[in-house]
Amino acid sequence: DTGVSQDPRHKITKRGQNVTFRCDPISEHNRLYWYRQTLGQGPEFLTYFQNEAQLEKSRLLSDRFSAERPKGSFSTLEIQRTEQGDSAMYLCASSLGGQAYEQYFGPGTRLTVT
Amino acid sequence: AQKVTQAQTEISVVEKEDVTLDCVYETRDTTYYLFWYKQPPSGELVFLIRRNSFDEQNEISGRYSWNFQKSTSSFNFTITASQVVDSAVYFCALSDDTYGGSQGNLIFGKGTKLSVKP
């Protein structure tokens, strides 16, 4: 399977705990995006990488959120001191380039903060 | 400001009916891209089509067709002879260069939930 993969698929955590999600993009894709989707809404952009460089972060990405993409391969998204409002589906997507290229999405990680 | 509006929250049709999903967008850029994605009950977003702002030709792919009209800032999606497997949430999305550098992040509408009943 050469699509985008994400791990874990589901995560339940208690408020205040830290969580980390992983995304493995399609191998030849140099762009990697993170989005968040809440119930009944479209995905909202969080951040993106061009190879290993994080080039943009949305206002939605508070200081408790951090993302990395070491060596321009897989990426991790960490949320520290989780809050109930962080409960959402976290989606990863990859593409060959910028706006002209379609993004391919992974299955997402559903986070529930209790 | 960039914005995508999908005014239809939910649509229900009977199999074999045609259905059109509306999408209206806002952008100040002259170069932009429009996309449609399908999100079936399994949850994974599936890419359907990309269209750039300089190409207003309509496109047909099997039972799917897309109508892009810059004059009305619309990019509507029609499914002909709908099938139960078409049941999903459909998202329209915009990518422009508001922030420069060909950022490429997608701005999504809220989606339209399509239910096709047998």
Side-chain angles (χ1 to χ4, degrees):
Chain A
D1 185 6
T2 57
V4 178
S5 62
Q6 292 187 248
D7 183 71
R9 297 290 305 275
H10 303 273
K11 179 71 176 179
I12 300 174
T13 191
K14 292 185 177 179
R15 189 177 55 184
Q17 298 293 306
N18 299 343
V19 294
T20 300
F21 311 140
R22 177 180 170 123
C23 170
D24 287 89
I26 294 171
S27 58
E28 63 267 28
H29 287 183
N30 53 34
R31 286 265 179 131
L32 187 148
Y33 298 82
W34 284 99
Y35 294 84
R36 182 173 71 185
Q37 185 178 22
T38 53
L39 200 61
Q41 303 294 315
E44 296 173 292
F45 167 72
L46 293 178
T47 188
Y48 87 99
F49 292 84
Q50 171 83 21
N51 299 313
E52 68 274 11
Q54 187 174 16
L55 297 184
E56 185 66 31
K57 291 191 280 188
S58 139
R59 287 189 302 270
L60 293 175
L61 212 66
S62 76
D63 292 344
R64 297 183 296 105
F65 287 70
S66 63
E68 294 183 341
R69 192 183 181 195
K71 302 179 182 178
S73 55
F74 71 92
S75 176
T76 58
L77 178 68
E78 180 183 16
I79 308 175
Q80 295 184 327
R81 305 181 303 282
T82 52
E83 301 172 356
Q84 287 191 319
D86 297 330
S87 296
M89 177 76 87
Y90 290 83
L91 297 167
C92 175
S94 70
S95 74
L96 282 168
Q99 61 175 168
Y101 294 88
E102 61 268 24
Q103 296 177 23
Y104 293 91
F105 283 80
T109 295
R110 181 166 296 284
L111 173 66
T112 302
V113 181
T114 61
Chain B
Q2 314 143 295
K3 188 178 180 182
V4 175
T5 302
Q6 294 181 257
Q8 304 150 310
T9 306
E10 292 193 40
I11 299 176
S12 183
V13 299
V14 176
E15 210 169 17
K16 297 184 184 176
E17 283 186 28
D18 298 348
V19 58
T20 295
L21 309 181
D22 297 334
C23 172
V24 174
Y25 61 92
E26 293 177 33
T27 177
R28 292 184 214 169
D29 284 349
T30 55
T31 302
Y32 53 89
Y33 294 81
L34 296 163
F35 302 80
W36 276 94
Y37 283 84
K38 174 182 180 180
Q39 190 171 42
S42 60
E44 191 160 337
L45 281 158
V46 177
F47 166 74
L48 295 178
I49 189 171
R50 178 190 71 241
R51 178 48 52 96
N52 76 58
S53 52
F54 298 108
D55 183 3
E56 285 194 75
Q57 279 196 337
N58 292 331
E59 184 154 341
I60 298 174
S61 176
R63 298 184 297 107
Y64 295 170
S65 62
W66 290 270
N67 180 267
F68 176 33
Q69 292 195 340
K70 287 178 77 171
S71 60
T72 56
S73 297
S74 65
F75 186 43
N76 296 337
F77 173 29
T78 297
I79 302 175
T80 303
S82 60
Q83 300 176 2
V84 173
V85 293
D86 295 327
S87 296
V89 180
Y90 290 86
F91 290 97
C92 181
L94 164 72
S95 177
D96 65 11
D97 202 29
T98 295
Y99 299 104
S102 189
Q103 181 170 306
N105 61 288
L106 297 172
I107 297 123
F108 284 86
K110 292 188 175 183
T112 297
K113 182 177 181 180
L114 174 65
S115 298
V116 181
K117 301 187 187 311

